[in-house]
Amino acid sequence: MSDTPAPPVILGDEPGSFPHSVLAERHPAIIRQVREAFPYGPDVHRRLDALRESCAEGVVEALPDTAPDRERWRGWGLDTCAGRSWFDVPWLWSESYFYRQLLEAVGYFGTGPWRGIDPFRPFKLAELDAPETDAELAALDALGVRPAHERDRALLHGSLWGNRADLGFRLSDARAQERAAVPALVADDSDTLWSLLPADAAAGTRTLCLVADNSGRELIPDLLLAAHLLAQGRCGRVVLHVKPYPYYVSDATTADVVDALRKLTGAPGAAADHGRRLWTAMTEGALTIRAHPFSAAPLPYTAMPADLHDEFGRASLTVVKGDLNYRRLVGDSRWRATTPFADVTAYFPGPVAALRTLKSDVVTGLDAATEAALVAAEGQRWRTGGTHALIQVRD
């Protein structure tokens, strides 16, 4: 455990701040999108409207006694947060609980006809069917003839920058996809990452845990990276961690993995070859899916349960994808940007890497010169605009 004390956790109570805008603007926008995406009946509409009003002016309400995960959420802090304003509890907690309450409103956990229906599925499928996705898959044809080290870099960066396809981010920032990604990373430990996964005779004994973030155009490059690592003999097994139920609009579930594999296998050219290899890897156990309940917890990874701690501890490397998982990895606090990444992840039970585009205030591990240049050029916008990225590793 690091001796570096964590600053206070981020709240959403500061008007004009990024967390406040998520609670006050993004969440109501998501409710409207979900309300229009399905022909829900009057009861669901009333519950969605009540949730929108609660988010704006009300307080956190407890789950009903019939909720299957009520006791789990009580263990995650519901008793402490219930009755308080959404803006006055930890931002990570209020964001996570918003999505749990959204599922409650649409009957996802109920006994009616909407049980188990992903309210975000239309957005996810539209992402997979977009022309941009087809163009990215077509690029695999040319990549296959490049040297191995070039494919290493291309697929790693594809997984990294694919995070800009985050649907929840785009709902509140419609122009995010129009911005050009900045080529230079604010931190780049990719050499260390590759050193932990060498292509050698021991690769068959290595397990890579890949903690996925979003579905669609991000999940496909994650799967392609997994396929590449297996094919190049850099690991013998990949465990893909996904969410146990729909979460944060576009976060990947098991159903989204299957949709992504079907997209690959149904595409022309090299994409279909990758898809078939991934499909076979799953049937043979070289690629497995894990949907641990803690993957949708409103807590940092310092609070992970013992079984997950042991699983990450046995892995040769755990790769944590995306902005939300980064906040959970380092702690959702206003760290100084120069706080060493190794210090804030010292608790993690094994080697860990973060692949993340920056879409929230939290960041660690930058050198002082990099931070100064970013602030001089952009003020603090570089933290949340999705135009900067990092690859950080603690071995």
Side-chain angles (χ1 to χ4, degrees), residues 331-350:
D332 201 32
S333 299
R334 296 189 185 280
W335 296 101
R336 297 190 316 277
T338 54
T339 303
F341 178 74
D343 285 1
V344 297
T345 57
Y347 72 91
F348 204 82

Side-chain angles (χ1 to χ4, degrees), residues 160-311:
L160 170 67
W161 288 109
N163 184 254
R164 288 181 297 142
D166 178 346
L167 294 171
F169 180 65
R170 283 163 46 201
L171 283 175
S172 65
D173 189 355
R175 299 192 63 189
Q177 288 294 89
E178 298 174 13
R179 300 192 187 98
V182 175
L185 306 182
V186 299
D188 185 4
D189 296 337
S190 53
D191 287 345
T192 304
L193 185 152
W194 293 120
S195 74
L196 293 169
L197 298 172
D200 59 22
T205 64
R206 294 193 200 104
T207 294
L208 171 74
C209 286
L210 178 56
V211 181
D213 190 32
N214 296 306
S215 58
R217 285 175 62 203
E218 177 182 356
L219 183 58
I220 283 178
D222 290 347
L223 290 170
L224 293 173
L225 177 62
H228 178 71
L229 295 174
L230 290 168
Q232 293 297 309
R234 290 185 177 273
C235 60
R237 181 168 176 256
V238 175
V239 181
L240 183 67
H241 286 251
V242 298
K243 300 301 189 295
Y245 48 75
Y247 190 64
Y248 274 72
V249 181
S250 55
D251 279 29
T253 65
T254 301
D256 299 321
V257 175
V258 176
D259 285 341
L261 288 177
R262 285 177 174 154
K263 176 68 177 182
L264 284 169
T265 56
D273 295 334
H274 287 294
R276 285 189 289 268
R277 283 194 291 270
L278 285 162
W279 196 282
T280 299
M282 288 194 67
T283 63
E284 295 178 348
L287 173 62
T288 59
I289 298 177
R290 185 93 151 96
H292 196 287
F294 191 77
S295 292
L299 303 173
Y301 274 104
T302 51
M304 76 179 90
D307 63 328
L308 197 56
H309 185 279
D310 291 345
E311 183 173 339

